[in-house]
């Protein structure tokens, strides 16, 4: 079940994601950030299930792949890694 929360942005900080992390009563210890145009594959879902059971890590960078007209862009340097999965309350950097 999803709950919709209204966020009124008046410029400056905090923006939506940080506001949500700081304000809302999140039910779980892990946060997965997905943009509206991002899709989680079944393989990624399985990998995330295994990853969050590892107590030695507090965050994971996920490789994003860009697609255009149903095909992956392979030679445009359009793929990158993004810190999208992290344990709440822990300091995680995207370096490394």
């Amino acid at each position: 079940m999803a709950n919709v929360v209204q966020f009124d942005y008046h410029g400056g900080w905090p923006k939506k994601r940080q506001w949500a992390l700081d304000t809302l009563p999140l039910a779980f210890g892990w946060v997965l950030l997905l943009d509206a145009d991002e899709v989680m594959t079944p393989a990624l879902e399985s990998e995330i299930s295994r990853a969050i059971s590892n107590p030695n890590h507090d965050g994971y960078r996920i490789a994003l792949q860009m697609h255009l007209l149903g095909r992956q862009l392979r030679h445009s340097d359009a793929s990158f890694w993004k810190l999208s999965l992290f344990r709440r309350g822990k300091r995680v950097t995207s370096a490394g």
Side-chain angles (χ1 to χ4, degrees), residues 17 19-31 33 86 88:
R17 286 182 175 176
W19 175 85
L21 291 169
D22 293 342
T23 307
L24 300 178
L26 303 177
F28 300 100
W30 284 91
V31 174
L33 300 176
F86 55 90
R88 287 185 322 140

Side-chain angles (χ1 to χ4, degrees), residues 18-82:
Q18 191 60 52
W19 175 85
L21 291 169
D22 293 342
T23 307
L24 300 178
L26 303 177
F28 300 100
W30 284 91
V31 174
L32 175 64
L33 300 176
L34 289 178
D35 289 341
D37 62 347
E38 295 174 346
V39 178
M40 188 165 67
T41 64
L44 178 58
E45 184 178 351
S46 295
E47 191 171 343
I48 287 174
S49 293
R50 286 190 307 275
I52 63 175
S53 66
N54 185 340
N56 298 319
H57 298 286
D58 294 323
Y60 294 91
R61 290 181 290 151
I62 296 175
L64 299 181
Q65 299 171 344
M66 301 295 177
H67 291 78
L68 178 66
L69 301 173
R71 298 183 67 182
Q72 182 180 349
L73 299 177
R74 297 176 189 262
H75 305 291
S76 65
D77 198 29
S79 296
F80 60 94
W81 292 82
K82 180 172 108 174

